[in-house]
Amino acid sequence: VQLQASGGGLVQAGGSLRLSCAVSGRTFTVYTMGWFRQAPGKVREFVATIRWSGDRTYYADSVKGRFTISRDSANKNTVYLQMNNLKPEDTAVYFCAAGSGIIASSISSATRYEYWGQGTKVTVSS
């Protein structure tokens, strides 16, 4: 499974960005797709996850109400992260990740995700 993330950039506080993650390869092994982020000097943290069926989503408290994870209805192998009302503390490198048997209680644990894409940098200026 290969993941390709894109869509990062520089935006002012209060602005929006949409990240994309294209999945290819043995996609039949993927049941969960997620986004994590890592700011300079900090550990990688969970942002949001969606089940491959699209019927369940999970969010970190810090992004609830501002970020939306979704799966493209036409191209099933693309997952988006719509980020609205961005704040300077959202500045980080964002990574998409995929996994198979991840139970809900472990959904925010990066070690449960088997596949990772390269990061895409998001910078929010104040």
Side-chain angles (χ1 to χ4, degrees), residues 36-111:
F36 289 75
R37 66 186 182 187
Q38 188 166 14
K42 294 189 176 181
V43 299
R44 190 168 297 188
E45 66 172 1
F46 170 73
V47 176
T49 282
I50 187 168
R51 297 296 192 188
W52 202 234
S53 61
D55 62 343
R56 290 298 304 272
T57 57
Y58 307 82
Y59 295 93
D61 289 342
S62 58
V63 307
K64 278 181 183 175
R66 300 189 298 122
F67 291 11
T68 303
I69 188 170
S70 63
R71 188 178 173 196
D72 193 304
S73 58
N75 180 359
K76 300 294 186 182
N77 290 342
T78 299
V79 172
Y80 301 108
L81 184 68
Q82 178 67 43
M83 305 185 296
N84 298 328
N85 190 21
L86 282 160
K87 304 176 180 180
E89 51 264 42
D90 294 319
T91 295
V93 176
Y94 284 70
F95 298 87
C96 61
S100 51
I102 304 174
I103 60 176
S105 60
S106 299
I107 211 75
S108 63
S109 176
T111 59

